[in-house]
Amino acid sequence: MHWADHAARVLAKRDGPQTVASGITPSGSFHIGHLREILSAEMIHRSCLDMGIESRYIFIVDSMDPLRRVYSFLDGSYEKYIGHPLAFIPAPGADGKPDSSLGSYADHFLDPFLRSLEAIGVVPEVVLNHEVYASGALESRIHSVIEKRDEIRDIIETISGRDLDEYWFPYNPLGSDGSIDGVRVTGYDRPYVLWKDRHGAEGKSDIRKADGKMPWRVDWAARWGLHGITCEPAGKDHGSSGGSYDTGIPISRLLGHEPPGKMVYEWIQIKGMGPMSSSSGNTIGPLETLEIVPPEIVRYMIARTKMSKHIDFNTGNMLFETADEYERLVKSPPVVRDDGPRRKQVAAATARGALRLSQLSRGAPIEAGQVPFRHLSLLAQIRSEDELVWESLRKSGHLSGSPSEALKLRLSKMRAWINGDHFPEESRIEISKVADREMVDSLDGDQIAFIRHLGDRLKECEWNDSDIGTLIVDSMNLCNIEARSGYLAIYSILIGRSNGPKASTLMAECDRYELSELFSLA
RNA sequence: GGGUCUGUAGCUUAGUCAGGUAGAGCGACGGGCUCUUAACCCGUAGGCCGCGGGUUCGAACCCCGUCAGACCCGCCA
């Protein structure tokens, strides 16, 4: 059974509608790892719906979280905003300087992310946390948290093993300058929290307004109750022992809400080979990812991996393999046989679940087998016009009639990938202008004679795929050379490699004169 | 220091919660497609399930220990 279906089945034991949630702090650019946060939750939500369980999916944006420090992409002038909620400070312009015409910092980073989500078929109910505070919806919970602050302090100290200082308070008011830092609570008179800030100013925060916020570990537990959250997969950072999941569970119970079961996912790592290496500082954001990776492949990458396993993401081989695997699965989904061994049944059901959850919209029919990714990458490289690609695909039997929208999208993303920095060098096809000496030397006399013969006859053959193909075979027969040996020779001279894409297709894309020159081995 | 997750064929992994003779895909190798592939179809090989103990009639699975990697115990998806 697929992990999302399993999670849904566990949730079903809990009565009532399910609320699956994600939460992210918009402190900067979103990256591919955030997609796992979103998709883990969204897939469980879909599984619930597929099982007939009432469910909704909410995305809580931690827009009330303060700016922690001046990040590398920010101008030093952000110093004055440290400690201010992200919803209340201006977005950075291209130069990293605050520019209030660009809207709030939180929205600035959130908006493109939401567009990315839409592209992968995720349309959550978006909850902006600063608006929740401003609405007063949290008032009674903030009140309880303050009333029970000793118990909460005890929970956090015991479970996380860290000591809270004597001034710790489960509500952090904003001071006179709008920062949460350096503000000390001096009293509580519902609905006001009284404080004195680092400038010596005194004031009071209304807990019915966005005048302050609960610290993260408390905030998280309180929101579970407010939104009725029954499931919230969290990153392993929150999930480790003594982390915020462990403290959130008893705090949530203290506030009268049965918390979601602890559910933790592993990170996506972007180190590895090629241009994606994090050591080179070249990371890749979700928007950029989605320019080159088809959306259902992004979903499949998450769906195919259990939450507890980390994913090594790169835009090289890993992407080819994942995408090809997806295509094969679409083409021939594994059959679940009742009479087969249990393990096989489980494996087949898991794969089918991953395929189902990879679709952009729930319940849509899965599009019949498309084109292997690798094959498309090759056609995109040798066929400059899209129409010529479709033609090739029709010939190879991958396509009948017109290409689907999904396939067109594939090709355009493939072209973007090939034209960008993230395409793996080893998959690039480069046709030689001049025969490589080493390659020529590696060939025997028969092979060389064959190449010269072929080069000669190329001068006067019809310039298309099939005629060139026939010519190759003819020439091999005439030169009395085996097909294997002949093709090895062609590829060695043409692309400097022992194998490659269909030789005649490649050659048809070349200039006749240049090719015969190349094959003359001058 | 304390803790969590991960470790199964060259690679990616299923199976671990309900213990019952190790499943799959890629890659490799072989064959077929009266023309070729990085297309398509068929087949073959490849695993002391990280290591050591224990429980059991029986362990990849449960327990203890150990090694390795990732991460957490201040913020972090």
Side-chain angles (χ1 to χ4, degrees):
Chain A
M1 184 183 296
H2 191 269
W3 54 260
D5 292 329
H6 182 259
R9 196 154 80 174
V10 171
L11 284 177
K13 291 179 187 151
R14 184 176 179 148
D15 289 334
Q18 303 299 327
T19 300
V20 186
S22 298
I24 301 178
T25 305
S27 55
S29 290
F30 287 79
H31 53 82
I32 184 147
H34 291 108
L35 293 178
R36 193 170 201 179
E37 162 86 20
I38 298 289
L39 287 172
S40 298
E42 198 255 3
M43 285 174 184
I44 292 170
H45 162 66
R46 282 200 193 182
S47 283
C48 286
L49 295 177
D50 290 346
M51 275 181 205
I53 302 164
E54 197 182 324
S55 172
R56 63 194 197 110
Y57 170 52
I58 61 176
F59 171 23
I60 300 174
V61 182
D62 287 308
S63 50
M64 197 62 195
D65 283 14
L67 184 71
R68 288 277 168 216
R69 58 191 170 84
V70 180
Y71 301 105
S72 55
F73 53 88
L74 296 175
D75 183 79
S77 52
Y78 268 97
E79 189 77 37
K80 64 172 178 284
Y81 294 118
I82 289 177
H84 294 231
L86 299 170
F88 301 154
I89 60 182
D95 56 1
K97 293 197 164 86
D99 182 346
S100 47
S101 72
L102 296 174
S104 83
Y105 188 102
D107 288 342
H108 175 74
F109 290 109
L110 181 63
D111 290 346
F113 185 64
L114 291 178
R115 269 180 270 127
S116 306
L117 293 188
E118 212 176 325
I120 54 172
V122 177
V123 185
E125 286 177 39
V126 178
V127 175
L128 296 167
N129 214 220
H130 75 279
E131 290 181 357
V132 176
Y133 275 97
S135 74
L138 280 165
E139 195 271 346
S140 65
R141 277 167 229 277
I142 296 172
H143 176 71
S144 313
V145 149
I146 294 173
E147 294 274 278
K148 295 176 176 168
R149 59 184 177 274
D150 291 338
E151 287 148 279
I152 292 174
R153 167 197 284 272
D154 191 52
I155 288 170
I156 294 176
E157 290 193 323
T158 308
I159 294 178
S160 80
R162 69 177 213 206
D163 291 323
L164 301 173
D165 71 42
E166 58 183 308
Y167 302 111
W168 182 86
F169 198 76
Y171 182 86
N172 301 131
L174 302 180
S176 60
D177 57 1
S179 170
I180 221 166
D181 293 342
V183 182
R184 184 170 297 171
V185 171
T186 54
Y188 175 58
D189 179 16
R190 186 175 187 179
Y192 298 108
V193 172
L194 312 178
W195 49 261
K196 183 172 183 182
D197 72 14
R198 56 191 163 182
H199 309 296
E202 293 185 32
K204 57 184 181 179
S205 288
D206 188 335
I207 61 172
R208 298 166 304 182
K209 296 181 182 163
D211 286 353
K213 72 178 291 280
M214 290 175 275
W216 161 246
R217 293 171 103 110
V218 182
D219 183 297
W220 202 24
R223 80 170 62 158
W224 285 340
L226 177 69
H227 302 289
I229 291 166
T230 55
C231 175
E232 182 168 356
K236 57 156 68 183
D237 49 337
H238 294 310
S240 64
S241 174
S244 43
Y245 229 127
D246 284 356
T247 50
I249 286 168
I251 294 172
S252 180
R253 291 202 176 112
L254 188 66
L255 299 177
H257 177 253
E258 182 55 30
K262 187 170 177 177
M263 196 180 283
V264 177
Y265 61 85
E266 256 284 353
W267 308 97
I268 294 179
Q269 296 175 3
I270 42 180
K271 68 181 172 198
M273 28 181 195
M276 273 291 303
S277 135
S278 61
S279 58
S280 71
N282 194 5
T283 71
I284 183 166
L287 279 175
E288 201 184 345
T289 306
L290 289 165
E291 272 169 29
I292 60 177
V293 188
E296 58 277 12
I297 303 300
V298 173
R299 294 189 65 104
Y300 181 65
M301 182 175 78
I302 306 293
R304 73 190 282 273
T305 313
K306 286 194 299 188
M307 281 202 272
S308 61
K309 295 249 191 188
H310 81 254
I311 296 174
D312 277 313
F313 179 81
N314 71 66
T315 52
N317 269 337
M318 182 264 190
L319 184 49
F320 272 123
E321 277 157 28
T322 306
D324 278 348
E325 183 176 296
Y326 175 82
E327 293 300 348
R328 279 193 301 273
L329 211 51
V330 170
K331 202 178 170 206
S332 45
V335 179
V336 185
R337 290 177 194 276
D338 292 341
D339 59 339
R342 181 176 142 268
R343 283 172 188 167
K344 268 194 143 168
Q345 288 181 38
V346 171
T350 303
R352 292 188 83 100
L355 183 58
R356 188 187 90 236
L357 291 163
S358 300
Q359 303 311 303
L360 292 197
S361 54
R362 198 174 74 85
I366 295 170
E367 228 173 311
Q370 305 230 347
V371 186
F373 221 57
R374 239 172 238 287
H375 190 55
L376 189 64
S377 85
L378 151 85
L379 292 177
Q381 287 183 79
I382 62 172
R383 301 290 200 195
S384 45
E385 300 278 322
D386 287 5
E387 192 44 52
L388 295 176
V389 172
W390 311 138
E391 205 173 279
S392 291
L393 289 174
R394 283 187 203 105
K395 267 190 210 163
S396 59
H398 285 102
L399 176 68
S400 55
S402 304
S404 65
E405 285 308 311
L407 189 53
K408 286 182 189 166
L409 192 65
R410 284 278 163 102
L411 181 58
S412 75
K413 286 184 190 300
M414 181 60 81
R415 291 204 190 280
W417 185 22
I418 291 166
N419 294 330
D421 299 331
H422 297 295
F423 194 73
E425 281 311 309
E426 68 268 21
S427 298
R428 253 184 229 288
I429 300 288
E430 196 171 340
I431 294 175
S432 313
K433 295 277 178 226
V434 180
D436 182 75
R437 239 331 96 196
E438 254 177 61
M439 280 297 163
V440 176
D441 290 345
S442 73
L443 302 179
D444 63 29
D446 290 346
Q447 287 172 312
I448 287 174
F450 160 67
I451 290 291
R452 290 209 165 112
H453 174 84
L454 183 60
D456 207 38
R457 294 185 64 189
L458 280 171
K459 287 175 186 159
E460 52 205 63
C461 102
E462 287 292 314
W463 208 250
N464 64 60
D465 232 359
S466 72
D467 281 280
I468 294 175
T470 310
L471 184 65
I472 294 174
V473 175
D474 256 20
S475 303
M476 285 196 288
N477 289 337
L478 258 168
C479 296
N480 202 18
I481 190 169
E482 276 186 31
R484 189 194 195 95
S485 167
Y487 280 108
L488 178 69
I490 293 176
Y491 289 122
S492 299
I493 301 303
L494 195 59
I495 55 176
R497 250 184 268 170
S498 62
N499 63 353
K502 185 170 171 173
S504 58
T505 312
L506 258 175
M507 287 161 70
E509 286 294 307
C510 300
D511 178 77
R512 181 202 296 271
Y513 175 75
E514 284 179 11
L515 197 58
S516 55
E517 274 297 292
L518 176 67
F519 278 16
S520 73
L521 302 178

